[in-house]
Amino acid sequence: MPPSVDAPPDLSGLLELSRIENLDLKPVILRVQTDLFVRAPGRDRTQVEIFESLACGLIPTVDEETARVVAGKLAPCPDTPPTVLEALALRGGGARDAVVELAPTLSHRLIEAALADGSDVAARIAARTGLNREVVDELSREGRPEIDRALAANLGITLRGATLARLVGRGRGDPDLAKLLLVRPDVSAADLVPLYLNADPIRRDVIGRTVEATAALRPCPAPLRGLGEDLTRLSGAQDVPAFMAALADGLGLPRDFLTVVSDPGARYDLLTLGLRAAGLHEEEAVYIFLTLNQGVARSAERVAGLVRLFRTVSRPASRDLVAAILDRPFTERGRSEAHQPLHGPEAKLRQGAERSAAQRAPLPIRARSASGGETG
């Protein structure tokens, strides 16, 4: 009569071998018990607890090969106790790698165990499909490029909220990360605005239309008077430092704001958006394209592309795009501060008017107007 399936295994052979001096049976026992556990048609609570106690006691003591083989069998088994997987992950090496690759889910404790020895497996964890939101969020906090790119390339997870904001923010300075984020189907165009310069023409058009829809709802301050004339004059003289200083000051941006973009082509696109945001006329922008940089001017295709960008993005949308790309708002001077002479008849008239205004109390309606007027 064949033995019952539920009958306890016959370990008499192992008991005989255990009497042999200097023979370590722990690897054999762990392998045998692992096979029995995995192949069992059903596992009640008692059986699971017995195996958990045995495996957790043996895993730290067996050789690397045994731990790796056992991990490959136990990691995909849904009934394997979490403590057993954590013990295998703590072993490091092949056992840890098998757990990271094959475990149905990766809990916070299991990830901690896998990372305990300081090995660089976080990127492989980030590439796993089905990671829960908490794990994805924790991985995104690491701030390591290889983890960020693995998360961005992982279409088996959903990126949203603070996690997505972190990755998009880092994508500003990481073109590879930006490109991975731009092709994700679960990320909206509104979330990708800071990566506009990294997008292909089709994606740029989608992002641009999204920005246009919201930018049109807000008032846009008038351009600084005379800024266009100053910029064209400096461009004609090919005085790039003074040109950049004038443009940056007019927009209220740092004078090195173009350096946040590493790609020269995208850098000139940012310059074009800056000119549009500053309120230059198209003929002024074209003159700058033809005079500021001879390398750009010699390429009719490049100039035509810059002109097309200048035409297709409105001034309010350009302001929003630049602010998103640089991750900072505009603080340019208001119209009342633009190009006011310090000397001469106009200055004396203005100073006299300012003194008179200071000597009389403002009317209530004038006070409200002054506090709620244009700030640029």
Side-chain angles (χ1 to χ4, degrees):
M1 181 177 179
S4 170
V5 174
D6 296 328
D10 182 8
L11 302 181
S12 57
L14 292 179
L15 294 175
E16 290 296 328
L17 289 173
S18 66
R19 298 187 177 95
I20 301 177
E21 189 176 356
N22 299 325
L23 179 62
D24 184 8
L25 289 180
K26 292 190 289 292
V28 179
I29 294 174
L30 181 59
R31 289 193 186 215
V32 170
Q33 291 300 310
T34 295
D35 288 339
L36 292 172
F37 181 81
V38 171
R39 294 174 184 173
R43 310 170 190 90
D44 59 27
R45 181 176 178 180
T46 300
Q47 290 173 314
V48 172
E49 289 177 350
I50 291 174
F51 177 74
E52 179 181 16
S53 178
L54 175 70
C56 287
L58 292 177
I59 286 172
T61 67
V62 297
D63 58 279
E64 173 65 22
E65 176 64 14
T66 297
R68 183 188 64 79
V69 171
V70 167
K73 296 177 179 180
L74 291 175
C77 179
D79 288 340
T80 301
T83 53
V84 173
L85 294 181
E86 291 164 17
L88 288 167
L90 283 170
R91 282 291 308 251
R96 176 204 57 218
D97 294 347
V99 171
V100 168
E101 180 182 355
L102 301 174
T105 59
L106 295 179
S107 66
H108 177 77
R109 288 175 57 89
L110 188 53
I111 291 175
E112 283 188 336
L115 300 175
D117 66 351
S119 298
D120 188 14
V121 296
R124 273 184 285 172
I125 294 174
R128 277 283 308 266
T129 60
L131 296 175
N132 63 47
R133 186 175 181 178
E134 290 73 20
V135 169
V136 173
D137 181 74
E138 184 172 348
L139 288 170
S140 72
R141 294 176 185 273
E142 291 289 319
R144 290 160 52 186
E146 66 276 14
I147 297 177
D148 291 344
R149 293 169 192 166
L151 290 173
N154 188 351
L155 299 182
I157 60 176
T158 300
L159 298 180
R160 56 187 174 182
T163 299
L164 177 59
R166 289 188 202 103
L167 296 180
V168 170
R170 295 175 194 142
R172 290 185 177 95
D174 186 342
D176 293 333
L177 174 60
K179 291 176 181 177
L180 290 170
L181 291 169
L182 284 163
V183 299
R184 288 188 64 94
D186 60 327
V187 180
S188 69
D191 290 318
L192 295 172
V193 174
L195 306 181
Y196 176 84
L197 295 178
N198 301 95
D200 59 39
I202 295 177
R203 197 63 167 162
R204 275 194 183 189
D205 182 60
V206 175
I207 296 173
R209 282 189 273 110
T210 301
V211 175
E212 293 281 2
T214 57
L217 302 176
R218 294 189 299 276
C220 186
L224 291 178
R225 188 170 60 248
L227 180 59
E229 291 87 339
D230 288 347
L231 292 176
T232 52
R233 174 178 54 81
L234 293 169
S235 179
Q238 295 189 343
D239 190 345
V240 176
F243 175 91
M244 288 307 307
L247 176 60
D249 291 348
L251 294 173
L253 297 174
R255 294 186 174 184
D256 62 347
F257 75 90
L258 288 185
T259 61
V260 302
V261 182
S262 57
D263 178 61
R267 188 176 295 173
Y268 229 82
D269 288 346
L270 179 57
L271 173 65
T272 301
L273 292 174
L275 296 177
R276 190 74 173 97
L280 270 67
H281 300 297
E282 182 178 321
E283 58 270 21
E284 293 172 327
V286 172
Y287 180 81
I288 290 171
F289 299 151
L290 295 174
T291 58
L292 184 64
N293 184 305
Q294 289 304 304
V296 172
R298 282 193 291 266
S299 173
E301 182 180 359
R302 182 65 176 129
V303 171
L306 295 173
V307 173
R308 183 165 54 252
L309 175 61
F310 188 92
R311 288 176 177 172
T312 55
V313 183
S314 70
R315 180 169 177 254
S318 294
R319 290 170 57 85
D320 284 2
L321 281 170
V322 173
I325 292 167
L326 300 180
D327 193 26
R328 61 176 299 149
F330 285 89
T331 57
E332 75 265 48
R333 297 167 294 169
R335 293 171 62 189
S336 61
E337 299 176 356
H339 296 274
Q340 293 182 350
L342 297 177
H343 306 285
E346 292 183 21
K348 292 180 180 180
L349 290 173
R350 188 182 71 256
Q351 292 165 4
E354 290 172 351
R355 283 195 296 269
S356 299
Q359 293 171 358
R360 61 176 183 271
L363 297 174
I365 189 172
R366 189 178 298 275
R368 287 198 299 273
S369 175
S371 63
E374 294 177 345
T375 59

